[in-house]
């Protein structure tokens, strides 16, 4: 049996090695230390340039087919389920902003921009510069994706959708076989430089604080979702959460909402939601409901901005949260896909530079599985809510009618 180290552990190992070598190398030979750090600064420059180049392509590959496939649903059920999922994602983002912007400033106060000002470039700088100009800007890619996604949905284009589906597969393979494997090296270079410049201790302490806060926010969000679902169905919300626990722990291992669908579907049925609703909504929610990932992205980005000394403003974050709910469509199929899809928004809407994006990716990846687990566990609560309201609207006994095409039109 082939042994494989998971991405989270590879990132942890990379950070540990970077800290260890960053402390050890200057004691052995300072000149070699400058050269060694510059070597990884060169790698970071190339990798960061490639990441900037591919971000618009990621946006198109994820969003266009994702929006097009939303048009393949069934009337009222699709519309109501989509609104509920999007609302849950937005509420989660606002909730995360309110908590993170209140808690983190007091903890990070005094660190300022020292933690990451030099993270992207070593003291000796990269050995050379290599420019990789993206084929289009992030906003252009978003407009392109929306235009083609909505267009394909409205005309029911199968041939054009097949092209975008294949493009999606191609980009997913680039993420899976190029970006994800190289991420630990990129993060190694970032933390090597921070250790070399004496700032890593502060950054790691902030990482730990943000990590703990995010897990608490995830659990609070699930409690809110199941309290609402339990109130509507007159069932104990904590017993419902216990019923969905297998989906949570499966997602921790798979790091993919899509891969966890069979377990989520089985457990959602055990909550009492009808088969006709769960069979339709659970696969849909695996694609469009991202409350856990949104909490993580918003919280991590606030942490990185505060480390950089940047102001955190609700007026700037609200549009960012609204765009996240759309930009991450179809991203859950790829471990770490959500943060990859959000990279463009971080740069254009929040002003992140390459070093800030790198730290953001490291923060996100360290707990990606927890965000995914929160996404899929919340899907069960949303399925119960949709079941309750569509039952009232349609006037149908959901327990006996299993055909979503008939009940939703």
């Amino acid at each position: 049996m082939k042994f494989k180290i998971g991405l989270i552990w590879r990132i942890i190992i990379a950070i540990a090695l970077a800290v260890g070598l960053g402390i050890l190398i200057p004691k052995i030979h300072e000149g070699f230390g400058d050269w060694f750090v510059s070597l990884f600064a060169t790698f970071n420059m190339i990798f960061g340039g490639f990441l900037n180049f591919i971000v618009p392509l990621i946006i198109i590959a994820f969003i266009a087919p994702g929006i097009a496939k939303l048009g393949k649903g069934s009337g009222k059920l699709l519309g109501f389920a989509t609104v509920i999922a999007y609302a849950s994602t937005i509420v989660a983002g606002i909730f995360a902003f309110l908590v993170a912007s209140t808690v983190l400033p007091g903890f990070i106060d005094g660190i300022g921009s020292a933690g990451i000002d030099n993270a992207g470039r070593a003291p000796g700088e990269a050995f050379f510069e290599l420019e990789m100009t993206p084929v289009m800007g992030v906003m252009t890619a978003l407009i392109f994706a929306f235009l083609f996604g909505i267009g394909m949905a409205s005309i029911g284009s199968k041939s054009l959708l097949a092209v975008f589906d294949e493009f999606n597969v191609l980009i997913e393979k680039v993420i899976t076989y190029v970006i994800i494997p190289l991420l630990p090296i990129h993060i190694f270079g970032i933390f090597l430089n921070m250790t070399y410049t004496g700032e890593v201790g502060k950054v790691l302490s902030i990482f730990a604080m943000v990590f703990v806060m995010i897990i608490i926010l995830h659990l609070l969000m699930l409690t809110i979702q199941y309290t609402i679902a339990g109130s509507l169905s007159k069932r104990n919300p904590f017993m419902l959460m216990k019923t969905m626990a297998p989906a949570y722990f499966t997602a921790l291992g798979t790091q993919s909402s899509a891969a966890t669908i069979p377990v989520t579907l089985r457990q959602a049925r055990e909550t009492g939601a009808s088969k006709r609703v769960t069979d339709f909504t659970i696969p849909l929610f695996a694609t469009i409901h991202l409350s856990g990932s949104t909490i993580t992205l918003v919280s991590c980005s606030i942490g990185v901005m505060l480390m950089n000394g940047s102001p955190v403003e609700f007026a700037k974050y609200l549009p960012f949260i609204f765009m996240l709910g759309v930009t991450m469509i179809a991203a859950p199929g790829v471990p770490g896909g959500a943060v990859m899809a959000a990279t463009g928004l971080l740069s254009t809407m929040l002003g992140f530079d390459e070093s800030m994006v790198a730290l953001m990716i490291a923060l996100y990846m360290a707990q990606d599985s927890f965000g995914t687990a929160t996404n899929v566990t919340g899907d069960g609560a949303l399925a119960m809510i949709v079941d309750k309201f569509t039952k009232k609207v349609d006037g149908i006994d959901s327990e006996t009618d299993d055909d979503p095409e008939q009940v939703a039109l």
Side-chain angles (χ1 to χ4, degrees), residues 58-68 142 145-146 149 326-330:
I58 292 174
I59 289 172
I60 294 171
F62 281 178
I63 296 179
I67 291 176
L142 282 169
F146 277 113
V326 178
T327 305
M328 293 188 295
I329 287 177

Side-chain angles (χ1 to χ4, degrees), residues 316-385:
K316 181 186 292 186
Y317 259 87
L318 188 59
F320 173 72
I321 292 168
F322 275 102
M323 287 302 298
L324 272 182
V326 178
T327 305
M328 293 188 295
I329 287 177
V334 182
V339 71
M340 293 302 166
T343 300
L345 298 181
L346 292 169
S347 300
T348 58
M349 300 186 76
L350 299 183
F352 276 40
D353 59 23
E354 288 182 13
S355 60
M356 294 171 74
V357 169
L359 281 179
M360 179 71 189
I361 292 173
L363 261 173
Y364 183 90
M365 288 296 190
Q367 67 75 64
D368 181 31
S369 57
F370 291 94
T372 301
T374 302
N375 292 341
V376 302
T377 306
D379 292 348
L382 266 59
M384 294 181 68
I385 295 171

Side-chain angles (χ1 to χ4, degrees), residues 22 25-26 29-34 37 123 191-198:
I25 289 176
H29 194 288
E30 186 172 347
F32 175 75
D34 289 344
V37 177
F191 278 85
L192 177 68
N193 185 70
M194 286 191 295
T195 304
Y196 202 67
T197 54

Side-chain angles (χ1 to χ4, degrees), residues 290-342:
L290 298 134
S291 57
S293 297
T294 302
I295 286 172
T296 304
L297 285 167
V298 171
S299 301
C300 290
S301 64
I302 289 175
V304 172
M305 289 188 73
L306 290 172
M307 279 192 280
N308 192 54
S310 302
V312 176
E313 302 168 349
F314 185 70
K316 181 186 292 186
Y317 259 87
L318 188 59
F320 173 72
I321 292 168
F322 275 102
M323 287 302 298
L324 272 182
V326 178
T327 305
M328 293 188 295
I329 287 177
V334 182
V339 71
M340 293 302 166

Side-chain angles (χ1 to χ4, degrees), residues 236-257:
N236 187 320
F238 296 103
M239 292 303 296
L240 292 172
M241 291 172 67
K242 181 180 178 182
T243 300
M244 291 300 299
Y248 184 92
F249 289 107
T250 301
L252 283 179
T254 63
Q255 290 184 258
S256 170
S257 297

